[in-house]
Amino acid sequence: MKGLDTLDWVVIALYFLVLLGVAWWVIMQKQKNTEDYFLAGRNIGWFVVGASIFASNIGSEHVVGLAGNGAGDKMPLLIYELHAWLVLMLGWVFLPFYARSGVFTMPEFLERRFDARSRWVLSIVSLIAYILTKVSVTIYAGGVVVSALLGIPFWIGAVATVVLTGLYTVLGGMRAVVYTETIQAIVLVIGAGILTYLGLDAVGGWGELKETVGADYFNMWRPNSDPDYPWMPLFITSTVVGIWYWCTDQVIVQRVLTAKNIKEGRRGSIFGALLKLMPVFLFLIPGVVALGLKMQGKLDWDSPDEAFPVLMSNLMPSGLRGLVAAGLLAALMSSLASVFNSCSTLFTLDIYKKLKPEKPEEELVKTGRIATFFVVGLGLLWIPIITTLSDGLYEYLQNVQAYISPPIAAVFLLGIFYKRINANGAIATLVGGFLIGFTKLTLEILKSSFAEGSFMFQLADINWLVFGAYFFAMCIAIAVVVSMFYPAPSQTQLAGLTFGNVSAEQKEEGKGSYNIWDIITSVAVLLIVVYIMISFSTLSL
């Protein structure tokens, strides 16, 4: 890899000056209450909401891992980047219920729909899951990227990035996060877009790339007999994970809850869906380009996860190399800031406020800042553990999420679409589902200790995509069956929280929150998703 020169460092320095300038401007504004600190006063416009959704999703592990998929013959995982239609579902289906209920967090919504037990379970599980997956993996990938780009030791890169991100997240709250994420999204799109263009030019164009790696390489649909990525379980499990992540996860949903109203929140999700179409071209294709250049003898790398940084350092000219480096740093910082802020929100409002309901707003904001410091500290403590992670970060994340998401997705979907589901059905699904998912994860870790061919070995050896699909069906069954043994929720409790209990006034209000252009743009996004799915198949290639 080529190192950064003086002009690159100037560009990176300018980026950080702008970023810190915006963060400082926000910090100087008073954060008087929890709505100001955790939801930016619910006064954010659609452009910032959409950019924030995109920047929260795209972290260093995403950039590095997705390019690694492109370079490492894991094209089926492309389906996780075609979830723009699920981002639309957030705005069109879920947001109106969240906004009408006036909640700050997703566990709080479950309490409104079911009872306090569901809120406690989801709060605690979400916090543990964030620290063990999102925080730890993002810090690990960020440390690798920063050390590779800036030529500094892994530990220094990881710690410096975490501390800097944690600082402006603690002081500025959600407003600092969403405004800095908007800048980071713009930098990332421009930088990665230029790299994609230069990469395709270097490899000889799209036709030459297909000829070099082979047309079959681009096929994302493999037969159901495929041991790794059978197409039907892949589609089902990826959709379940997508519904959990895009429609019910605190990190993403908190962005649309900052919007001025439902109209701005929905338009923000539509804009976020448009941006979500870009990673295929900005990160996955450069990975395939890196593979093509390696096969042509023009580039060399050892691990697929090195494809993006090596391609960037060798193809980008001085200055632009600094821009892409800044974009990668932006991806790392935006994802970390999002998780830090969401963890702080969950702890303060769903745990601390429930235990200390008499505490004033100023005290809750102070607690939120302390909670962020605590999450930063836990993230740093995890660095020695996550350095043992091997290649394939992106697949690792999807694997773990396939065991976390089914019970949560089932409870939220049924909670909104099926009014017969009650609190006992929800808590049985959440607790039972998490036990099942954790057991499968534990069995996978211990698989080598079981006798090959034994029942425990076969259970541990079930493909994670196949298991995810059956697991989701199991969670739906638990919720429905258990609910039938207990009385249905009252109409008063369900008012405005399910499709069957939306008042005529609320329906009329909903109709006024969108226009023909919102519909046209949403349909266009859906058509693009279908086109990409068809294009990346042997049918057209």
Side-chain angles (χ1 to χ4, degrees):
M1 283 181 64
K2 295 179 182 176
L4 302 176
D5 60 21
T6 305
L7 186 56
D8 294 324
W9 283 107
V10 169
V11 171
I12 292 173
L14 286 173
Y15 159 73
F16 275 104
L17 282 174
V18 172
L19 194 68
L20 293 175
V22 171
W24 182 253
W25 169 72
V26 172
I27 291 167
M28 287 297 96
Q29 301 178 43
K30 295 288 185 182
Q31 310 273 337
K32 295 181 180 179
N33 54 42
T34 50
E35 188 165 79
D36 271 345
Y37 188 74
F38 295 115
L39 292 181
R42 294 191 196 261
N43 195 36
I44 303 299
W46 65 268
F47 183 88
V48 175
V49 170
S52 179
I53 288 173
F54 176 74
S56 299
N57 173 237
I58 306 297
S60 289
E61 82 289 347
H62 197 109
V63 175
V64 172
L66 190 53
N69 285 344
D73 196 21
K74 293 181 179 179
M75 199 59 70
L77 292 178
L78 161 65
I79 196 167
Y80 283 91
E81 295 315 303
L82 299 178
H83 280 169
W85 67 280
L86 292 172
V87 188
L88 293 177
M89 185 185 284
L90 168 63
W92 286 100
V93 178
F94 287 85
L95 174 61
F97 294 100
Y98 297 153
R100 278 196 296 266
S101 63
V103 298
F104 282 69
T105 68
M106 293 300 92
E108 186 182 0
F109 179 79
L110 285 193
E111 182 178 39
R112 296 279 177 89
R113 174 62 178 85
F114 300 112
D115 64 6
R117 295 174 300 168
S118 301
R119 182 175 186 173
W120 276 106
V121 171
L122 186 59
S123 301
I124 293 168
V125 169
S126 295
L127 280 170
I128 294 171
Y130 285 162
I131 292 166
L132 298 186
T133 57
K134 294 187 179 183
V135 175
S136 60
V137 175
T138 303
I139 293 174
Y140 170 75
V144 172
V145 169
V146 171
S147 61
L149 290 176
L150 308 186
I152 58 178
F154 167 83
W155 275 86
I156 295 175
V159 172
T161 312
V162 170
V163 171
L164 180 62
T165 308
L167 194 61
Y168 76 73
T169 308
V170 168
L171 297 175
M174 187 62 170
R175 200 184 302 273
V177 172
V178 295
Y179 280 114
T180 52
E181 281 179 339
T182 303
I183 298 169
Q184 290 159 344
I186 293 169
V187 171
L188 187 60
V189 168
I190 293 173
I194 294 171
L195 179 60
T196 302
Y197 174 79
L198 293 177
L200 284 171
D201 183 61
V203 82
W206 182 252
E208 186 64 29
L209 178 62
K210 283 202 292 184
E211 192 173 321
T212 301
V213 301
D216 286 343
Y217 189 86
F218 289 91
N219 182 27
M220 63 177 282
W221 304 108
R222 297 184 182 177
N224 276 326
S225 57
D226 187 88
D228 298 316
Y229 307 112
W231 78 266
M232 188 174 287
L234 173 68
F235 181 78
I236 295 170
T237 301
S238 67
T239 299
V240 173
V241 171
I243 290 171
W244 162 72
Y245 181 83
W246 291 107
C247 302
T248 74
D249 188 51
Q250 182 66 26
V251 172
I252 297 299
V253 178
Q254 195 168 337
R255 268 86 209 128
V256 296
L257 293 181
T258 64
K260 297 174 183 177
N261 48 47
I262 293 178
K263 178 188 282 188
E264 293 293 311
R266 180 180 289 116
R267 286 184 178 169
S269 71
I270 294 170
F271 181 47
L274 280 169
L275 293 175
K276 181 59 185 168
L277 295 169
M278 292 184 177
V280 175
F281 309 101
L282 297 180
F283 310 123
L284 185 127
I285 295 301
V288 183
V289 167
L291 176 64
L293 289 172
K294 183 178 183 179
M295 293 171 74
Q296 291 175 355
K298 299 176 182 177
L299 202 66
D300 188 47
W301 39 265
D302 299 319
S303 159
D305 281 344
E306 295 175 4
F308 194 93
V310 169
L311 185 72
M312 181 215 74
S313 66
N314 282 275
L315 288 191
M316 298 293 272
S318 178
L320 285 177
R321 195 161 52 234
L323 181 68
V324 178
L328 281 171
L329 294 172
L332 163 64
M333 294 177 68
S334 62
S335 287
L336 273 180
S338 300
V339 177
F340 287 161
N341 186 261
S342 294
C343 286
S344 168
T345 306
L346 285 171
F347 176 80
T348 306
L349 301 182
D350 287 320
I351 296 176
Y352 184 77
K353 190 177 180 181
K354 293 287 284 185
L355 297 173
K356 305 276 187 178
E358 76 285 351
K359 291 293 181 182
E361 291 282 297
E362 292 83 357
E363 183 72 22
L364 292 176
V365 171
K366 183 180 177 182
T367 302
R369 290 193 167 110
I370 295 170
T372 307
F373 268 122
F374 185 66
V375 174
V376 170
L378 286 175
L380 290 173
L381 289 175
W382 265 93
I383 291 178
I385 298 169
I386 55 182
T387 50
T388 61
L389 287 174
S390 61
D391 294 332
L393 281 177
Y394 189 79
E395 183 174 1
Y396 164 81
L397 268 182
Q398 306 309 338
N399 189 318
V400 173
Q401 288 172 351
Y403 301 143
I404 295 173
S405 59
I408 303 174
V411 166
F412 273 89
L413 278 172
L414 290 173
I416 287 176
F417 284 98
Y418 188 29
K419 60 184 181 181
R420 183 62 182 80
I421 299 298
N422 54 34
N424 288 323
I427 198 69
T429 306
L430 290 173
V431 175
F434 292 137
L435 288 174
I436 293 169
F438 181 75
T439 301
K440 176 65 166 74
L441 197 58
T442 305
L443 288 174
E444 278 193 20
I445 294 169
L446 301 174
K447 187 171 80 169
S448 59
S449 64
F450 301 132
E452 193 165 339
S454 67
F455 175 75
M456 297 300 281
F457 181 87
Q458 289 177 338
L459 202 60
D461 199 42
I462 297 173
N463 178 284
W464 61 279
L465 292 168
V466 173
F467 180 83
Y470 283 112
F471 185 20
F472 179 65
M474 206 183 310
C475 290
I476 294 286
I478 292 172
V480 172
V481 171
V482 173
S483 292
M484 293 305 167
F485 283 96
Y486 297 93
S490 66
Q491 295 300 307
T492 305
Q493 182 186 348
L494 296 177
L497 297 180
T498 72
F499 273 101
N501 296 81
V502 177
S503 67
E505 185 182 340
Q506 288 170 336
K507 288 178 182 177
E508 201 58 39
E509 183 186 343
K511 288 178 183 177
S513 65
Y514 60 87
N515 60 27
I516 187 64
W517 292 109
D518 296 323
I519 296 172
I520 289 173
T521 309
S522 299
V523 171
V525 170
L526 293 175
L527 291 175
I528 293 170
V529 169
V530 172
Y531 174 76
I532 295 173
M533 284 185 173
I534 294 171
S535 296
F536 281 85
S537 71
T538 51
L539 293 175
S540 60
L541 293 172

